[in-house]
Amino acid sequence: LVFSQTKTGIALLYDEVSENAYDIRLKLTKEVLTIQKQDVVCVSGSDHSANHRTVTLRRQPVGGLGLSIKGGAEHKVPVVISKIFKDQAAEQTGMLFIGDAIIQVNGINVESATHEEVVHLLRNAGDEVTITVQYLREAPSFLKLPLGSPGPSSDHSSGASSPLFDSGLHLNGNSTNTAPSSPSSPIANEPKYEKRWLDTLSVPLSMARISRYKTGTDKLRSNAFEVLALDGVSTGILQFYTAQESADWLRAMSTNISDLTLQNMKMANKCCSPSDQVIHMGWVNERLEGTDSSQLYKFKFLALKGSSFYIFSTPPVSTLDWVRAEKIYNLCEVLFKIHKLWLADDCWLQASLYLGIHQEFDLEDQRPYCFSVMAGHGKSHYFNVELGSELAMWEKSFQRAIFLEVQRTGSKTYMCSWQGDTLCFTVDFALGFTCFDSKTKNVLWRFKFSQLKGSSDDGKTKVKLLFQNLDTKQIETKELEFQDLTAVLHCIHSFIAAKVASVDPVFIDSQSIARKYMYSN
């Protein structure tokens, strides 16, 4: 049993347009992921304009204005306060914070000024400097602003000012006043400000999906992913400082999403008959075979319910939604196959269950954790999931769903022909294979599952089944022609697998390629 996780931590929000990343705080609960950004809020006193604060600083003989700045128009960012020194002018006002963008200096607008221009203006502004600031909620991470309040005290100012290094305005500057000036201190009735993390976006995790790939491509983001809510609202690209942090957050969010999916399944199953239960459902990426070489992926929602395998573009929410699936396949007639696994030693494991990998899937695929589902008339779907544990879950669920469907159905009969005669071919869980005349119902031949020794087909409609006669031990070849040969072969496969599993319950576990490798992941 995996329990829901609650978690908080600092991350970055990456903006693909500006290619900048901003500091954010993440808050994960059982049902919601919340993104917080820092802002300066008025906590007491009358605040006329929360956005803009105008502060008068008195330059001190020791310590100057008591702050350092970074940024500037040449970097497409405003000039921001990057350090505030303890017990000096800026800190004593109680109204200035690291991350404040300087908008005006003594009435002069500096929003589009360069770093050097602002440094010059502040250094030559006299003993009383009035600045108007506004907290920059999305300060690009390249400014490397500390997240905490007052920064560590430091004595050295960089000689040459640079927008990416602090220009210190905490030295004596050009103070003409040699007498110690009265400190800049907050006045009793002035508003009081604090820097706080404020919620800016909450993403419900029920039926949410996660993507580590750049939209539609095989390009994996480095230590980053995006979470999309059921209504399509995105967190944006969440970037983490280390691969470990990224993996921990990915796992925690996936766990909570899975838990909520399980709850949704339990709710849905209350309204369904025992033979029509949801066994597993969840988001995957489906590879769309494009006309050009670029392989595009699209989100799809899959479900294993009752006797069917469903493919949806959006999750089914109401009972009626189940009929609007894009595709519905009978579980006896599909073949589930794992393709690629990413092993601990970073090599590919080419894996196939029972059958060799089909030619059309032998394309070089950059995504790990892939599986395909092959259906009747040669149709195939190729899917990818984000985590090894999800792949293991799909493998186990398909095996269970197919096993239950075979046991429920008991037998399946297909029309076929042989030497111009119309026949019926039955696969029966108890009896094995039976072939009889469709008109007279006369049984032409019957064999147990254990007597099937092999088969070969022409890839179109004809199949040769090789059975061993129990008395003579000779191989007898039975040749049949079907309209949908693939469906029949998958059905034989499903029945044999279910038969073996019913005799040997450990069989299913021993067949699990994914689970052997995934739980070490």
Side-chain angles (χ1 to χ4, degrees):
L1 260 175
V2 188
F3 296 102
S4 297
Q5 302 198 10
T6 50
K7 196 172 164 64
T8 54
I10 302 294
L12 293 167
L13 187 60
Y14 180 72
D15 181 339
E16 286 190 292
V17 181
S18 70
E19 297 189 348
N20 285 329
Y22 310 101
D23 282 308
I24 53 164
R25 186 166 176 260
L26 294 178
K27 229 169 56 176
L28 177 69
T29 64
K30 193 179 162 190
E31 287 170 2
V32 179
L33 173 68
T34 304
I35 292 179
Q36 298 180 319
K37 290 180 186 172
Q38 273 194 326
D39 207 347
V40 170
V41 292
C42 180
V43 288
S44 69
S46 59
D47 182 28
H48 307 297
S49 154
N51 290 342
H52 291 136
R53 282 162 280 129
T54 300
V55 186
T56 300
L57 294 170
R58 295 188 187 87
R59 202 186 298 275
Q60 296 175 342
V62 176
L65 300 176
L67 54 86
S68 294
I69 60 171
K70 273 184 177 181
E74 62 270 53
H75 277 265
K76 299 189 178 74
V77 285
V79 169
V80 294
I81 296 174
S82 55
K83 282 183 185 169
I84 289 178
F85 295 89
K86 208 161 169 53
D87 300 328
Q88 292 183 16
E91 195 201 33
Q92 287 166 356
T93 65
M95 289 176 70
L96 293 174
F97 299 88
I98 289 171
D100 275 340
I102 300 173
I103 292 161
Q104 288 187 344
V105 176
N106 286 350
I108 300 164
N109 186 293
V110 293
E111 283 179 280
S112 51
T114 64
H115 185 79
E116 203 55 66
E117 286 166 348
V118 179
V119 170
H120 182 76
L121 208 50
L122 287 169
R123 283 196 171 144
N124 298 291
D127 292 340
E128 282 213 345
V129 187
T130 301
I131 61 173
T132 300
V133 296
Q134 178 178 13
Y135 189 73
L136 185 64
R137 289 178 78 177
E138 296 187 343
S141 60
F142 67 72
L143 288 172
K144 293 193 165 53
L145 298 178
L147 286 173
S149 254
S153 185
S154 116
D155 314 321
H156 57 273
S157 160
S158 48
S161 58
S162 146
L164 299 187
F165 294 97
D166 299 287
S167 288
L169 299 159
H170 54 288
L171 301 180
N172 297 352
N174 297 355
S175 176
T176 50
N177 183 356
T178 49
S181 58
S182 56
S184 326
S185 57
I187 305 158
N189 64 351
E190 282 210 344
K192 190 172 182 292
Y193 295 91
E194 267 180 25
K195 193 151 109 172
R196 290 190 178 166
W197 287 105
L198 303 180
D199 293 0
T200 57
L201 178 68
S202 289
V203 176
L205 295 175
S206 178
M207 302 284 197
R209 55 196 197 263
I210 296 175
S211 178
R212 293 188 297 156
Y213 293 88
K214 289 182 182 166
T215 315
T217 71
D218 276 341
K219 291 194 174 68
L220 196 61
R221 297 185 189 283
S222 172
N223 302 344
F225 56 83
E226 151 180 44
V227 183
L228 295 120
L230 178 57
D231 61 5
V233 170
S234 164
T235 53
I237 295 142
L238 307 176
Q239 238 179 12
F240 298 87
Y241 290 98
T242 65
Q244 186 60 54
E245 264 179 84
S246 176
D248 289 348
W249 275 98
L250 183 68
R251 203 168 288 123
M253 288 182 207
S254 297
T255 299
N256 292 11
I257 291 170
S258 301
D259 283 359
L260 293 167
T261 303
L262 207 58
Q263 283 178 28
N264 289 328
M265 274 167 47
K266 282 178 181 166
M267 291 289 288
N269 285 341
K270 280 181 181 170
C271 320
C272 301
S273 69
S275 64
D276 200 25
Q277 299 281 297
V278 181
I279 287 183
H280 189 52
M281 60 184 188
W283 286 103
V284 299
N285 297 291
E286 181 174 13
R287 185 168 77 194
L288 308 174
E289 297 298 346
T291 43
D292 56 358
S293 60
S294 68
Q295 293 165 7
L296 286 178
Y297 280 84
K298 205 169 178 185
F299 276 115
K300 290 289 162 82
F301 192 86
L302 309 185
L304 298 169
K305 179 178 188 281
S307 59
S308 303
F309 164 51
Y310 295 83
I311 302 176
F312 296 93
S313 53
T314 55
V317 181
S318 70
T319 318
L320 291 170
D321 288 344
W322 288 91
V323 295
R324 5 161 245 95
E326 286 181 4
K327 295 270 192 300
I328 303 175
Y329 297 111
N330 180 279
L331 279 167
C332 288
E333 295 175 356
V334 299
L335 183 71
F336 172 90
K337 225 166 55 175
I338 280 183
H339 285 270
K340 290 207 170 131
L341 299 172
W342 192 244
L343 293 184
D345 61 353
D346 279 9
C347 70
W348 289 112
L349 172 78
Q350 207 69 36
S352 71
L353 288 179
Y354 316 113
L355 302 179
I357 281 187
H358 227 264
Q359 266 326 103
E360 72 242 44
F361 288 135
D362 244 350
L363 302 163
E364 182 50 36
D365 190 331
Q366 295 309 305
R367 294 191 176 202
Y369 314 133
C370 296
F371 66 90
S372 65
V373 178
M374 293 151 89
H377 292 294
K379 283 204 188 82
S380 335
H381 297 271
Y382 191 93
F383 303 109
N384 150 263
V385 288
E386 298 287 337
L387 294 170
S389 53
E390 292 177 277
L391 182 64
M393 192 65 203
W394 278 112
E395 184 189 34
K396 188 180 177 183
S397 304
F398 261 96
Q399 288 171 342
R400 183 157 167 255
I402 291 169
F403 177 75
L404 291 171
E405 175 54 16
V406 168
Q407 290 205 312
R408 260 195 309 269
T409 310
S411 76
K412 262 183 126 50
T413 299
Y414 296 91
M415 298 295 283
C416 61
S417 61
W418 182 56
Q419 292 178 347
D421 295 330
T422 304
L423 310 172
C424 293
F425 173 75
T426 299
V427 188
D428 186 291
F429 191 68
L431 303 172
F433 307 101
T434 308
C435 190
F436 57 90
D437 189 296
S438 63
K439 293 186 200 73
T440 65
K441 303 284 185 270
N442 285 343
V443 172
L444 305 176
W445 48 262
R446 177 174 280 152
F447 294 99
K448 292 179 184 172
F449 286 116
S450 58
Q451 290 176 270
L452 180 67
K453 296 302 173 191
S455 71
S456 63
D457 62 84
D458 64 355
K460 297 183 189 78
T461 57
K462 291 184 181 136
V463 66
K464 284 180 184 169
L465 297 172
L466 310 175
F467 296 105
Q468 186 174 37
N469 184 307
L470 290 178
D471 303 324
T472 65
K473 299 284 183 270
Q474 295 298 305
I475 296 291
E476 294 182 26
T477 302
K478 302 294 179 189
E479 205 167 322
L480 298 170
E481 196 165 342
F482 294 92
Q483 259 195 311
D484 184 357
L485 179 59
T486 328
V488 178
L489 294 177
H490 291 171
C491 179
I492 293 173
H493 175 270
S494 298
F495 271 74
I496 291 177
K499 193 76 181 171
V500 176
S502 67
V503 178
D504 175 15
V506 186
F507 169 75
I508 284 192
D509 280 347
S510 72
Q511 288 303 307
S512 172
I513 291 175
R515 285 158 73 210
K516 269 181 216 167
Y517 293 101
M518 285 316 137
Y519 289 126
S520 62
N521 187 289

